Amino acid sequence: MGRNTVPIIRIPMPAVSHPPVEVTSSCLLAIAYHEPLSYLYAQFKSSGLWYIYPGVPLSTYEALVTVAESGGSVGRFFIANVKKRFPAIDVNNEDA
């Protein structure tokens, strides 16, 4: 692991149909998807924290994976198609 690399932190994900996948991005470390609930999980590189984006269609998650696999801009796609369209849930607060 590099000097400025934040480790991927695993959070409890109930029966996630698409387990965490590491991505090469300036803003994200990993993504995952919970198909029955349409939850996109995103782990941010700057903090290492996970957030859930409810209501994200499976097709958007699959397109994000395709962008990641093809070497495209994961951050640009994520911001335009997820972050600006769906509210985030902070799952990092242990008191919640």
Side-chain angles (χ1 to χ4, degrees):
M1 211 171 352
R3 267 180 39 199
N4 298 323
T5 304
V6 176
I8 292 180
I9 300 167
R10 303 294 178 203
I11 61 169
M13 296 180 190
V16 174
S17 52
H18 302 274
V21 173
E22 292 182 45
V23 294
T24 302
S25 170
S26 60
C27 69
L28 296 175
L29 282 174
I31 57 172
Y33 193 77
H34 187 285
E35 197 167 338
L37 296 176
S38 298
Y39 281 3
L40 175 73
Y41 291 78
Q43 184 184 23
F44 286 85
K45 189 174 266 186
S46 60
S47 64
L49 299 178
W50 282 95
Y51 289 84
I52 296 174
Y53 292 84
V56 175
L58 177 61
S59 59
T60 300
Y61 168 76
E62 290 171 337
L64 183 56
V65 170
T66 299
V67 168
E69 291 174 346
S70 69
S73 177
V74 173
R76 186 176 296 140
F77 183 92
F78 176 79
I79 290 166
N81 295 285
V82 178
K83 193 170 183 179
K84 288 186 175 182
R85 293 179 159 185
F86 300 93
I89 298 172
D90 182 347
V91 296
N92 304 287
N93 184 349
E94 293 179 12
D95 297 330

